[in-house]
Amino acid sequence: MQRIMNSERPYLYDLTLPVLEQLFKGWGQPAFRARQLYRQLYLNLSDSPATMTDLPLALRERLAAETSTTTLELVRLQTADQGLTRKALFRIPGGEVVETVLMVYPDRATVCVSTQAGCAMGCVFCATGRLGLLRNLSAGEIVEQVLWAARELQQLDPGTTPIQRITNVVFMGMGEPFANYDRWWQAVERLHDPHGFNLGARNMTVSTVGQVTGIRRLAREALPINLAISLHAPDDALRSEMMPINQRYPIAELLAATQEYIAATNRRVSFEYVLLQGKNDTPEQAAALGTLLHGMLCHVNLIPWNPVPGTPLGRSERARVLRFQQVLQAHGIACTVRVERGIAIAAACGQLAGLPGDLASSASVHIPLGE
Ligand code: SF4
């Protein structure tokens, strides 16, 4: 039986439906009760047994006494963009904090979730990397962030947005998902489950720093979720300086694994490229990137870097961003400049660090926002 304890009580979001059935069987309950509970958790978005009125009172009371549904403690909620960008800071069991960002657009609602508290990857432009790895999140802790966002969305004024449910999940918050692969993948399966949250696999995107073993593993998975790779430099010397992972998996090896992934899945890969003034944003570097990616089934997302106080890095001027894009496009590379959200509340790419006392100067993340 898989580990079902998050704390001393079974944490319901960590449990698959078969494990829930097993738990209920031990309580002398029929299997259909577990399915009812599962629907309450993932379809009705109930987070309290007291509200699950289709379950017998005695069962609700036992669930309340002996299990937990909510382990994310909301420490702070910040909003921007007329309330359509909402960043939550959660304390998790153990005392660490993680961040989750909901972004509501006219045609979709995207939630960017964390997969680890802190991160071991140490990218120089990222505040989460400064924290080091604190701990991996469980599958339930990853799923619970999405359910929080779904409830948050339901509470928005219908006059503000016609979007009623989460349409996209991006695993681009704190942490490297492939460094917590098993738990992260369980979260993907849970969110996709047609009997539960029922989110399409193609509506989920994972972003990796370039962990080659994870890319190869993802290529063999049955669910066709989207892959984004943080590239950020066109040559090994610069990439190794910005992203220590490059010393382990240099660009040639990373792109070879990416080609294998594309060959196995026939899916287009996104490369994320955060633009830093004078560092990686020259036309020559754009040309080198264009040459590197030529002929690959891919798309490049250019991300104007968001300010992170305390680093010597600078944000590329708009004209340099557009020039970079033009050069890439001239090389035949599909390329967009990411729409920015939430900079004022440090919810944009590269700005999540989960530092509760100092959110304004926080910074982290993989590169989320707006696919
Ligand atoms: S960019 Fe992503 S992989 Fe790199 S340190 Fe930040 S969270 Fe970790």
Side-chain angles (χ1 to χ4, degrees):
M1 179 167 153
Q2 75 180 67
R3 187 183 72 94
I4 63 172
M5 302 296 286
N6 178 277
S7 58
E8 292 180 357
R9 302 165 162 207
Y11 172 43
L12 295 179
Y13 295 128
D14 263 348
L15 309 188
T16 61
L17 181 56
V19 174
L20 271 182
E21 287 172 349
Q22 196 179 344
L23 177 72
F24 272 25
K25 189 175 173 190
W27 289 5
Q29 295 287 337
F32 78 88
R33 292 287 183 216
R35 292 194 291 276
Q36 280 179 297
L37 172 60
Y38 199 75
R39 279 197 297 275
Q40 284 286 358
L41 294 172
Y42 299 107
L43 279 177
N44 300 352
L45 307 177
S46 306
D47 61 354
S48 162
T51 62
M52 303 176 184
T53 50
D54 57 338
L55 298 180
L57 179 60
L59 181 56
R60 277 183 269 155
E61 288 175 347
R62 184 161 189 189
L63 282 168
E66 298 183 24
T67 68
S68 67
T69 47
T70 306
T71 60
L72 302 182
E73 178 194 342
L74 185 64
V75 176
R76 183 177 306 179
L77 176 66
Q78 292 175 281
T79 63
D81 306 313
Q82 291 80 49
L84 297 178
T85 299
R86 310 176 78 79
K87 181 174 79 162
L89 177 71
F90 294 112
R91 183 172 292 111
I92 59 177
E96 301 85 2
V97 291
V98 296
E99 290 178 325
T100 307
V101 185
L102 168 65
M103 293 152 284
V104 185
Y105 300 88
D107 58 344
R108 66 193 192 279
T110 299
V111 56
C112 173
V113 301
S114 299
T115 53
Q116 297 180 304
C119 181
M121 297 297 155
C123 304
V124 296
F125 50 86
C126 168
T128 303
R130 293 187 202 167
L131 301 174
L133 177 63
L134 303 175
R135 81 163 168 87
N136 287 321
L137 300 193
S138 74
E141 288 166 336
I142 298 169
V143 168
E144 194 183 330
Q145 294 172 67
V146 178
L147 301 178
W148 164 81
R151 287 185 208 107
E152 199 71 11
L153 185 60
Q154 285 185 343
Q155 285 166 20
L156 287 181
D157 180 350
T160 313
T161 172
I163 305 295
Q164 295 293 305
R165 61 168 280 146
I166 298 295
T167 58
N168 298 80
V169 172
V170 294
F171 300 97
M172 300 184 179
M174 298 172 76
E176 160 60 41
F178 290 167
N180 186 19
Y181 196 108
D182 290 340
R183 297 180 188 88
W184 161 71
W185 188 255
Q186 284 169 27
V188 169
E189 291 181 324
R190 191 76 40 77
L191 292 168
H192 175 67
D193 187 348
H195 303 294
F197 197 72
N198 194 22
L199 184 68
R202 291 180 194 281
N203 295 67
M204 292 188 254
T205 301
V206 63
S207 176
T208 177
V209 71
Q211 236 217 27
V212 161
T213 50
I215 293 171
R216 293 205 166 103
R217 196 168 162 188
L218 184 66
R220 297 193 299 271
E221 300 285 5
L223 296 179
I225 76 165
N226 303 304
L227 173 63
I229 297 170
S230 298
L231 192 56
H232 307 324
D235 62 80
D236 279 325
L238 181 57
R239 192 165 190 269
S240 292
E241 189 187 308
M242 294 170 66
M243 308 172 74
I245 186 87
N246 196 70
Q247 289 157 27
R248 183 156 176 210
Y249 299 119
I251 290 175
E253 194 175 341
L254 172 60
L255 294 187
T258 306
Q259 289 284 26
E260 286 173 35
Y261 172 88
I262 293 169
T265 63
N266 199 29
R267 291 202 293 275
R268 190 179 73 159
V269 167
S270 290
F271 287 103
E272 313 286 350
Y273 195 102
V274 64
L275 285 161
L276 302 165
Q277 176 98 0
K279 188 88 175 163
N280 65 353
D281 68 345
T282 66
E284 294 73 27
Q285 287 165 318
L289 183 62
T291 302
L292 201 60
L293 302 182
H294 185 73
M296 191 178 279
L297 183 59
C298 72
H299 171 268
V300 174
N301 240 331
L302 295 175
I303 303 142
W305 187 67
N306 293 307
V308 177
T311 68
L313 304 170
R315 176 186 174 88
S316 296
E317 291 155 6
R318 185 78 185 156
R320 293 175 74 96
V321 173
L322 296 179
R323 179 80 183 116
F324 198 96
Q325 182 184 28
Q326 282 166 1
V327 174
L328 264 184
Q329 287 172 336
H331 279 72
I333 308 292
C335 173
T336 49
V337 179
R338 177 164 287 167
V339 177
E340 296 175 83
R341 273 296 188 95
I343 291 176
I345 56 168
C349 161
Q351 291 191 304
L352 305 182
L355 307 175
D358 192 18
L359 272 180
S361 65
S362 68
S364 119
V365 169
H366 252 72
I367 305 301
L369 317 207
E371 318 78 291

